[in-house]
Amino acid sequence: MKKIVKALHVDSNENLVTGLLLVYPKFYIHLLEAPEDVIYMHFKDICENKIREEKFGKTIVLPTYHHVYHRFFIDWFHVYTLAPSLLEKIEKQTLEDIKRQISNCCMKLYHLCNYISRVMHDDANDVVEILFNLNEKVPQYLPESTVLEFLLNAKSSVLKTVEDYLRIYRDVPFIEFYDDTIWPPPSDNMPRYASEKCVDEEKDEDLIRKKT
């Protein structure tokens, strides 16, 4: 992941790429602060690495937080730590349950980033010490591994994979405005000149019959 982020810095030297990569033994969460086109490039690099090196498993995209004037970090950081776990397993996969777990995960991550940013502002010289043993310092701000496993396995159209995200932004959808398999078409969809022409032809046929 570090190589991918470094490549983003090279490709987008005008846009500062910042954020936090939170790595658990089985999962990771990556909060990336960058313009949307840079985030698209990042997802594209992840997919290419998945195909080439098979380093990344299933990756989903959580809702984006937009803030023009505020960033949590002034650089990109990564930290390895142990994830807390819920005592109970999450079994329900209703839309409300999925939304609640997404909200819990995002809010904990934002609180964690806010905590790290605030401590770094007070003591920017010892970044390693600040990021060390987060699971002991602020376990309440770490998203639980149980929640991450639930979101990765949840079957819902709300949660998009990285591949889905790229497909949405890359492919132009084909939209069928009118189903031409229905005949005759509804009168509202008939061109006006065609209707007038049909009426005129019927009048001409009536005149021919009268003359004969």
Side-chain angles (χ1 to χ4, degrees), residues 59-114:
T59 307
I60 60 174
V61 182
L62 294 181
T64 307
Y65 176 75
H66 295 280
H67 200 305
V68 178
Y69 301 107
H70 177 72
R71 287 176 183 249
F72 284 117
F73 305 105
I74 59 173
D75 203 345
W76 184 84
F77 304 96
H78 66 279
V79 56
Y80 297 90
T81 188
L82 297 176
S85 180
L86 294 177
L87 297 178
E88 297 181 358
K89 188 176 181 180
I90 308 172
E91 296 182 352
K92 293 183 179 180
Q93 291 196 6
T94 64
L95 183 59
E96 288 299 321
D97 290 308
I98 293 173
K99 287 168 60 179
R100 183 166 56 253
Q101 297 304 333
I102 290 175
S103 178
N104 291 339
C105 181
C106 289
M107 291 309 299
K108 286 197 172 189
L109 186 61
Y110 293 151
H111 285 308
L112 174 65
C113 293
N114 189 48

Side-chain angles (χ1 to χ4, degrees), residues 80-197:
Y80 297 90
T81 188
L82 297 176
S85 180
L86 294 177
L87 297 178
E88 297 181 358
K89 188 176 181 180
I90 308 172
E91 296 182 352
K92 293 183 179 180
Q93 291 196 6
T94 64
L95 183 59
E96 288 299 321
D97 290 308
I98 293 173
K99 287 168 60 179
R100 183 166 56 253
Q101 297 304 333
I102 290 175
S103 178
N104 291 339
C105 181
C106 289
M107 291 309 299
K108 286 197 172 189
L109 186 61
Y110 293 151
H111 285 308
L112 174 65
C113 293
N114 189 48
Y115 163 80
I116 296 173
S117 176
R118 189 174 65 252
V119 176
M120 282 183 176
H121 183 269
D122 298 334
D123 186 11
N125 296 322
D126 200 356
V127 176
V128 176
E129 179 61 29
I130 294 171
L131 298 177
F132 184 69
N133 280 350
L134 287 176
N135 58 310
E136 296 180 3
K137 296 175 183 175
V138 284
Q140 69 275 18
Y141 295 157
L142 296 176
E144 296 86 353
S145 59
T146 316
V147 174
L148 300 184
E149 184 177 8
F150 167 78
L151 293 177
L152 284 169
N153 295 325
K155 297 178 181 179
S156 173
S157 58
V158 175
L159 295 171
K160 304 293 185 184
T161 63
V162 169
E163 291 82 2
D164 293 333
Y165 179 95
L166 293 175
R167 196 177 302 113
I168 291 171
Y169 280 84
R170 181 187 60 219
D171 299 344
V172 179
F174 177 76
I175 302 174
E176 294 185 1
F177 291 101
Y178 178 67
D179 190 356
D180 57 2
T181 60
I182 300 175
W183 191 262
S187 59
D188 293 340
N189 294 333
M190 284 289 288
R192 183 173 297 176
Y193 68 87
S195 299
E196 292 175 352
K197 186 176 181 181

Side-chain angles (χ1 to χ4, degrees), residues 23-64:
V23 182
Y24 293 157
K26 292 185 178 180
F27 308 100
Y28 72 89
I29 306 175
H30 193 194
L31 184 139
L32 190 67
E33 299 174 311
E36 194 164 355
D37 57 335
V38 177
I39 294 176
Y40 175 87
M41 291 167 54
H42 175 62
F43 287 158
K44 187 177 178 182
D45 291 341
I46 287 179
C47 284
E48 290 176 354
N49 273 267
K50 285 174 68 174
I51 297 171
R52 185 171 60 250
E53 301 180 14
E54 298 182 356
K55 285 187 176 181
F56 300 101
K58 181 181 179 181
T59 307
I60 60 174
V61 182
L62 294 181
T64 307

